[in-house]
Every structure is written in structure tokens, then in C-alpha cells.
Amino acid sequence: MELLAVSPFLFSSAGMLAWGLAAAAPILIHLWNRRRHRETNWAAMHYLIAAMKKNSRRIQIEQLLLLIVRCAIMLLFALALADISCSSGSPLAASATLDARHTVIVIDGSYSMDYRENGRSRFDRAKEEARHLIEATSQGDAHTLVRMGEPPLVVIGDPAYDAGDVMQEIDALQIADSGANLEATLAEVEKILDGANENHPRLSRSRVVFLSDLQKTTWESASAATARLDQLATKSSLSLIDLGQPTTSNAFIENVRMVEPFATLAAPSTFEVDVRRQGDLGAGGESVRMFVDDTLVGQQLIDLSSSEAAAAQFSHRFEKEGDHAVEFRLDDDPLPIDDHRWIVAAAKDQVRVLCVAGSPGAAKFLKFALRPDDAADAAIAPEVINQSALVEIDLAPFAAIFVADAARFTPQEAGVLTEFAETGKGLAFFLGPDADAENYNRLLGSAERPLLPVKLETPSGEGDYRFDPRGYEHPLVEPFRGQQGGGLLSTPIWRYFRVQRNETARVALWLDNGDPAIVLGSGNQSEGVDSVAVIALPAAITTGSGQPWSALPTWPSFPPLVQETLAQIVRGESDRQNVLVGQVLQGRLTASSSAVTAAITTPRKETQRLGRLPDGSWAFDETEVSGVYRLQVSDRADADALFAVNLRTAESDLTQVSREDLPPVLFEASTDEGAFLATGIVEGIPLFRMLLIAVLTLLLLEPILAWKFGSAAL
């Protein structure tokens, strides 16, 4: 859109002035009609000519007036199409009042706005206030709409002039099960104002209206955003409508976790529930109920009257394999959205673990450590194979793979292990004296295939080494705290493999000389999910060189150390199924056929078909609603894969930020107007509506004048 300034006028669409050439049409028609006149002499014409000569001047004036009216219609219509305005300093602008205003409505969509009072939520009140703002505007005013969130949602980005359409968008607006990012919202608002300034110059006034409960998690960052708010204030007026209450109370479920690393049919699974309160809840306890697949299986009463936090523990034994949706609920309160929390437990008959022996007998102690009692109903079922069979076996049923003292890998073996880890399952490597560091680093630790959390160096020199748990801070060694008879600190170690950990890797257990003994990492998966472990010691006593490196495989600390390593690396699969709002759900379809399709159903019962990459992986990022998501795969109709998406509970603290902690610019707008002429906008008073009214008037006047003048001529 090109702006043309011809003092004291402004033309937003100067190209439309070309329609003014149509004003020549009435003149050409008039001249053409005069050319077609023919003189014919007959008796009555003498009397008519005499009368016309007597009134000729009057008739000429009347015809000229009609011609001017017809030309004016075309000219005024062309000016209206050009969207003409007069500059604010002109005398005409002083008497004109038909200026248009742009209102940016920003509604807080964080879940604290779901707090309800007398059956109405703050979000409903915000939408009602937004409707009042629209109803109070004038003809020609425009509106845009933004929902504060994480991230913010621009509902109407280009100024909309139809109030009905804006009302419909407000009615359809839904709250998000997340917090709100104030800085990102302000950035979007500034983009909208700049776009309106450039593309809608006749919107000479603008205002930004925030409707929020001023919850501190969102607004405590307002002081850090003062510079951006000051920048917005140079382009628009800013006003804030407070929809919160200074004193509120709320109870919410902060966290749910399963104590065991996996759920099996052989033993009950234990769940710990953390509940917090904010404000005074009054007398009486808070009921916590446990549901498994929508069936009530347990209930406890906790006391929050004397403390802000309490915990409950539930135990349940699953009777069926597969994914189970476990939900914990509190009694309903004014903020019901945080009274629920879910966790998906994938119950198995047994946890199958594959032990890959790099040499004969290398996995013997490892198998015993994973299943010491060899009972038929044991939770862990280890299976031992030779390394040569790795590329031939179906790895899908296994939850983890332990590689014992492998010297080197073929590219096919490395590819199989990498694909296994990409499904979120666990991998552990015991390093023997024959480990080829160059082979490990090239096939499993390169930039193209970053599976290992370490870079292998060389075997250490001979010495007398011991483990150093460094305060037992890592969860893998925490169970050894206070267990002096466990043998962890007394484990004899004479040699080990030196490794250098990656930047994102975490050391679970050290040696007393400062070198890492057990390193955990995420491989090429999401950071924070430790699904790959490297143990810098062999899993067997007898090595290729004949000289033992350590007595660890026969020491009392070996079985619990192996089992805790298994617990750590298999949690990745559970973590993939239990995420927070806004995080991505992802996985891999086991079937190789491209004909296999997948779809996911959200807690709102909306089903979306998933796209699929060539390697069979899929991802779904529209997780703004908390609850259970169901994955349906066409070749697996008997059971759905479940995913739990939960709240980030920071928004459950309903404490308001005080007005004194907010930038003053939010309260400087005029209370009666709430808008002013923006300094960054070309100031002008739009005249197109006045011109259209004039065109309509002339269109009505022209036939009346033509009829009147024609009758008088006769």
C-alpha cells in the first residue's frame, strides 16, 4: 500500500484516483448528443423555437448543473476509493470527528485464569470484558486479538473491522493448560502495531488492553520488560484490567512418580503423590483418589492444615500387560485444572534384558546380577547371546541391552544398537581390556552417530583403585548410602579403561583418582533422559590378557550396581510417555511398511493423523492440553499406546503481583479514552465515509433534478 501526501490531504490508495477519469464520461455523452441533432422545419417547430429562445439561458444553466452533478459523482467516488484523509493540522481536520481506532485486545490464557468464583472463571470474565470493549467502539474501528500463553497465540493479527467476526473469535477462544510468557506476548503485540501502522494508516489511534489476573509467575517479569513496554507506549496507549483476587486459596497435585523403574505383573507398583496448598483451605483433610484406566482403586485423606505440603503413597498391582493411565484426583476447588495429574505405567509380564557377550563367558556374572534368585516369577528376565547373533535377533521385546566386554563392532552391529537406543530403550557397555577405542569412537561416538556419552582413551596403568560415590548424590548410587556392608567402597580395582565424558554426560560413580567409573548420557535422544551407560570396567573376571582388572563381578556390590544401572537407563522409555504441557510426544513405529498409519487422540477427543518420516519416527507437538493422549496404529488395533501430559505447576500459586511492582506505563492511559494519537503513525482524519455519503446524496439528487428540469422545459 503506497501513501501519497498532497498537502493537506493524504491518499492511502493513490492508484484508485485513476477512476476519476470516468468523470469525463458525462461530458463526452453530452457532446455526442449535441452532434446527433438534426434540423427539421415544420409548422409547430416555429412556436417551440420561439419559446426556447425566450428560455435558452435558463435551460443552459440547468443542463450545466446536471452535467456538474454527474461528473461530481464519478470524481467523489474515485476519491473515496483512494482512501483520502486530511492531515490533522488542516482546518478541515479540526472540524472532522470520523477518525478510526485500533484496539489490541490481549487476554491472559494461562491456566490460573481458570480460577472460578460463583461458577464463572476469570477467563470467562476476561472474554466478557473484551466484548464490552468491542461494543463500545465506533463504526470503522478495528480490533486484533492475542492470547497470552507459552507461547502466545495471535488469534487476529491483521486489524479486523467486522465486530461480529471478532466476537466469534473471542467466544471460540479456549484457555491453555500452561503459563504465559509476557516478553514473547509483548513482542507479538509490537509486531501487530507495526503492521497496522504500515498497512492501515487511517487507523490513526491505537490502544493495547491487557486483561489478566496479574498472577506473579507471569507478571513478576514485567520489571525486566520495562524497556519493551516503554517502546510500546510510544506507539499506543497501554491499559490493564485486573481480574484477579488479592487473597485466594488453592490445593494442587505438584508431582506424581512411580518408585520402581518399571511396572510388572509380578509385583505391585508404588506411586508417590506430592500435594501442596496455597492460602488457607480451612479445617478438614484433603482427599486423594487413585484411578487406573478410569476405575477407582484407592483413596487416602491427607492433612494440609498445618503444612503447605504433604505426600501420599499408593500401591497397585496391574493384572494386564500394556499401557495403563493412572490418574490422581483431589476434591474439586475453585481451580479444578490442577486437581488432576496423570502418569502412564507400561506394565510387562517381565522386563526382558539382552546380555551380549563379547567373548565366551563374558556375560555370566552379568546375568546372575540381573536375576540373582532365578525365580520363575522374577521381574527381570535376562537372556544371553553371543555378539555375532546381535544383528539376527528381534530386539523389539527387550527393554535394555547390556554389552559385556565387546572388543569392537561391525557397522551393522553399531547400526542395530543405535536404532535400538532411538526407540527410547536402554543401553549399557562394560569396557574390557580388548576394547578398540578407535572402533568405539568412530562407530558409536562420532558426530554422525553420537550414541556414547564418552570418548574412549586407553587402559589405565596398574594400581590400587577404589570407587568414590561423592556424597551419593546421583540416583544410581543413592541406595548405597549408609549401606557399609554393600561393598561399594571396598571393591578392589586394579585397572580400568580411561574415558573422557561429553559435555552433556553425567557421572554417576567416580574413582578415587578423579576419573569417571560409570557415565550416563542421553545418546542422541532428548537431554535429561539418561538411556546409555558406560562402565569403565569389564563384566568378567578373566580377561583376554589373563590378568584380572577388578573383583567387581564377584563383589557384593555388583548385583545392586547392575540393577540400579538398569533402573536408570530404562526410565527413558517411561519419560518419553510422561511429559509436560508444551513438550513433544514422539516415537517410532515398529512396522516397516509405509502402509501402516498412526493417529493420536487428544484429551479433547480430537483425532489427528500423524505424519511419518522414512525411518518410521513420528512427532506430535500440539500438547497444550493436559491429560491422556492415545496413539492408534493401524497394525496394532488391540492396544493403544498412551502418553500423559501434565501441568507445570508454577501457575498454581495464585499470588498476585502488586501494582507497585509493575511498570507505571501500564497505568498512564486515560481512563475515559484509553487511546491517543500514536506518535509513530501518520496523523490524518479519514474522509472516505464523508465522500461516500456525498456520492449517495448526489445519486439521489441527479434523477430528481433531471425530472424537474425536463418538466420545466416542456
Side-chain angles (χ1 to χ4, degrees):
M1 180 179 293
E2 182 180 357
L3 187 65
L4 174 64
V6 181
S7 182
F9 297 106
L10 303 170
F11 298 92
S12 299
S13 301
M16 291 297 178
L17 290 173
W19 286 98
L21 297 176
I27 299 175
L28 295 175
I29 293 173
H30 175 74
L31 295 176
W32 178 260
N33 286 335
R34 289 187 60 184
R35 181 180 177 185
R36 292 176 58 191
H37 290 166
R38 292 185 300 173
E39 295 186 3
T40 305
N41 295 321
W42 51 292
M45 284 296 296
H46 295 287
Y47 295 101
L48 186 58
I49 290 172
M52 291 182 64
K53 287 181 178 180
K54 180 180 178 180
N55 300 309
S56 60
R57 184 166 183 80
R58 178 179 62 81
I59 294 174
Q60 288 177 355
I61 293 175
E62 292 173 349
Q63 293 295 320
L64 180 61
L65 184 58
L66 271 176
L67 185 61
I68 291 174
V69 168
R70 290 164 179 164
C71 292
I73 290 174
M74 305 305 296
L75 286 173
L76 292 177
F77 185 66
L79 290 173
L81 291 177
D83 199 3
I84 186 174
S85 303
C86 63
S87 58
S88 58
S90 67
L92 181 59
S95 60
T97 58
L98 296 175
D99 54 338
R101 177 171 59 184
H102 173 210
T103 301
V104 184
I105 301 174
V106 183
I107 298 179
D108 189 347
S110 59
Y111 76 78
S112 64
M113 291 286 288
D114 196 41
Y115 188 88
R116 302 178 184 185
E117 194 173 29
N118 299 324
R120 296 182 65 227
S121 69
R122 297 171 177 175
F123 193 67
D124 291 335
R125 290 170 51 208
K127 292 165 69 172
E128 184 178 359
E129 291 288 345
R131 294 188 198 97
H132 291 334
L133 289 172
I134 297 171
E135 291 168 354
T137 55
S138 304
Q139 180 74 21
D141 289 348
H143 304 84
T144 47
L145 180 63
V146 179
R147 187 194 70 184
M148 294 179 67
E150 183 68 56
L153 174 65
V154 178
V155 182
I156 303 176
D158 193 53
Y161 295 88
D162 191 325
D165 290 344
V166 181
M167 293 277 200
Q168 288 181 1
E169 292 292 348
I170 290 176
D171 291 340
L173 199 60
Q174 292 183 316
I175 201 168
D177 293 2
S178 64
N181 188 321
L182 179 62
E183 183 70 24
T185 301
L186 296 178
E188 294 294 342
V189 170
E190 187 169 9
K191 291 179 184 178
I192 290 173
L193 290 173
D194 291 341
N197 175 21
E198 180 180 355
N199 300 317
H200 300 265
R202 67 185 181 84
L203 295 174
S204 57
R205 297 187 300 163
S206 65
R207 63 175 176 174
V208 180
V209 182
F210 296 91
L211 300 107
S212 174
D213 59 356
L214 298 184
Q215 193 263 359
K216 72 172 186 178
T217 303
T218 299
W219 287 94
E220 64 185 356
S221 62
S223 57
T226 300
R228 187 176 287 276
L229 285 168
D230 290 340
Q231 177 69 15
L232 284 179
T234 65
K235 304 178 181 182
S236 172
S237 70
L238 306 179
S239 57
L240 180 61
I241 299 177
D242 182 8
L243 298 167
Q245 292 86 24
T247 56
T248 54
S249 60
N250 182 40
F252 59 94
I253 300 178
E254 184 178 39
N255 190 35
V256 173
R257 60 185 172 274
M258 189 170 67
V259 176
E260 296 82 11
F262 36 73
T264 65
L265 307 185
S269 298
T270 306
F271 298 88
E272 293 182 348
V273 185
D274 296 329
V275 182
R276 297 187 68 86
R277 70 166 173 87
Q278 181 248 332
D280 185 10
L281 298 177
E286 191 76 24
S287 175
V288 184
R289 290 164 290 165
M290 177 182 180
F291 295 80
V292 175
D293 299 327
D294 297 324
T295 300
L296 179 65
V297 298
Q299 183 171 353
Q300 293 186 28
L301 194 67
I302 60 174
D303 184 14
L304 287 171
S305 59
S306 59
S307 63
E308 294 184 351
Q313 190 174 88
F314 292 82
S315 180
H316 179 76
R317 184 167 183 167
F318 296 101
E319 299 178 352
K320 181 181 177 182
E321 286 191 78
D323 291 349
H324 297 274
V326 182
E327 179 187 4
F328 295 90
R329 301 181 195 169
L330 298 178
D331 295 331
D332 288 341
D333 60 17
L335 186 61
I337 195 171
D338 59 6
D339 296 334
H340 306 253
R341 203 163 185 90
W342 294 264
I343 184 171
V344 170
K348 300 178 175 63
D349 182 23
Q350 288 181 317
V351 178
R352 297 178 63 183
V353 179
L354 183 65
C355 301
V356 179
S359 60
K364 179 180 67 173
F365 293 101
L366 189 57
K367 180 181 179 181
F368 174 79
L370 288 168
R371 191 171 179 173
D373 55 5
D374 203 26
D377 59 349
I380 302 175
E383 300 179 29
V384 178
I385 64 169
N386 293 325
Q387 183 177 345
S388 58
L390 180 62
V391 297
E392 302 172 358
I393 192 171
D394 180 15
L395 301 179
F398 295 97
I401 297 177
F402 278 72
V403 180
D405 307 350
R408 60 188 55 83
F409 299 94
T410 66
Q412 292 80 8
E413 292 170 344
V416 166
L417 293 173
T418 300
E419 290 181 4
F420 182 82
E422 287 175 349
T423 63
K425 298 181 179 181
L427 271 175
F429 296 87
F430 283 84
L431 301 180
D434 297 326
D436 186 339
E438 188 277 334
N439 177 269
Y440 271 78
N441 295 334
R442 175 169 50 85
L443 294 182
L444 298 175
S446 64
E448 296 76 19
R449 190 173 282 171
L451 181 62
L452 295 178
V454 299
K455 179 181 179 181
L456 273 65
E457 295 183 343
T458 59
S460 71
E462 189 170 348
D464 186 13
Y465 307 100
R466 292 293 184 271
F467 287 130
D468 180 7
R470 295 197 177 182
Y472 302 93
E473 294 180 355
H474 196 279
L476 190 149
V477 296
E478 198 276 335
F480 288 93
R481 186 192 303 272
Q483 304 295 327
Q484 300 300 326
L488 181 67
L489 300 181
S490 61
T491 305
I493 302 171
W494 302 290
R495 299 187 71 182
Y496 64 93
F497 215 103
R498 294 185 185 276
V499 296
Q500 180 181 353
R501 65 187 178 111
N502 299 337
E503 294 180 357
T504 58
R506 285 162 285 276
V507 178
L509 184 62
W510 300 82
L511 293 168
D512 55 3
N513 65 351
D515 283 347
I518 299 179
V519 183
L520 297 172
S522 58
N524 54 1
Q525 303 301 301
S526 303
E527 291 188 15
V529 179
D530 292 331
S531 58
V532 179
V534 173
I535 300 92
L537 293 165
I541 291 290
T542 305
T543 64
S545 60
Q547 182 69 28
W549 276 26
S550 167
L552 175 63
T554 61
W555 215 251
S557 59
F558 190 59
L561 200 61
V562 170
Q563 293 187 25
E564 290 300 326
T565 300
L566 174 64
Q568 290 297 314
I569 62 177
V570 299
R571 287 189 187 274
E573 190 172 7
S574 175
D575 292 342
R576 186 189 293 267
Q577 291 182 272
N578 296 280
V579 302
L580 298 176
V581 167
Q583 292 183 334
V584 178
L585 302 179
Q586 54 188 344
R588 184 188 297 271
L589 302 180
T590 57
S592 58
S593 173
S594 59
V596 176
T597 60
I600 199 161
T601 301
T602 71
R604 290 176 177 166
K605 308 304 180 184
E606 300 170 348
T607 300
Q608 296 187 34
R609 184 168 177 174
L610 297 175
R612 173 179 173 172
L613 297 176
D615 62 354
S617 61
W618 60 269
F620 181 77
D621 59 0
E622 299 179 28
T623 57
E624 69 169 18
V625 181
S626 60
V628 176
Y629 291 69
R630 296 181 176 271
L631 174 70
Q632 300 96 28
V633 182
S634 60
D635 69 338
R636 197 174 60 203
D638 55 332
D640 295 341
L642 305 183
F643 298 84
V645 177
N646 286 298
L647 299 173
R648 303 173 190 267
T649 56
E651 195 75 15
S652 294
D653 183 353
L654 302 178
T655 305
Q656 276 193 303
V657 65
S658 66
R659 176 169 176 153
E660 291 73 20
D661 295 332
L662 294 174
V665 70
L666 287 169
F667 307 99
E668 293 176 354
S670 171
T671 57
D672 58 341
E673 178 66 15
F676 59 89
L677 283 171
T679 56
I681 300 175
V682 178
E683 297 181 0
I685 307 301
L687 302 176
F688 75 100
R689 281 175 287 180
M690 300 173 64
L691 293 174
L692 288 177
I693 293 173
V695 169
L696 180 60
T697 302
L698 292 178
L699 285 173
L700 295 175
L701 180 62
E702 190 273 341
I704 296 175
L705 291 178
W707 171 79
K708 180 177 178 58
F709 294 160
S711 301
L714 295 175

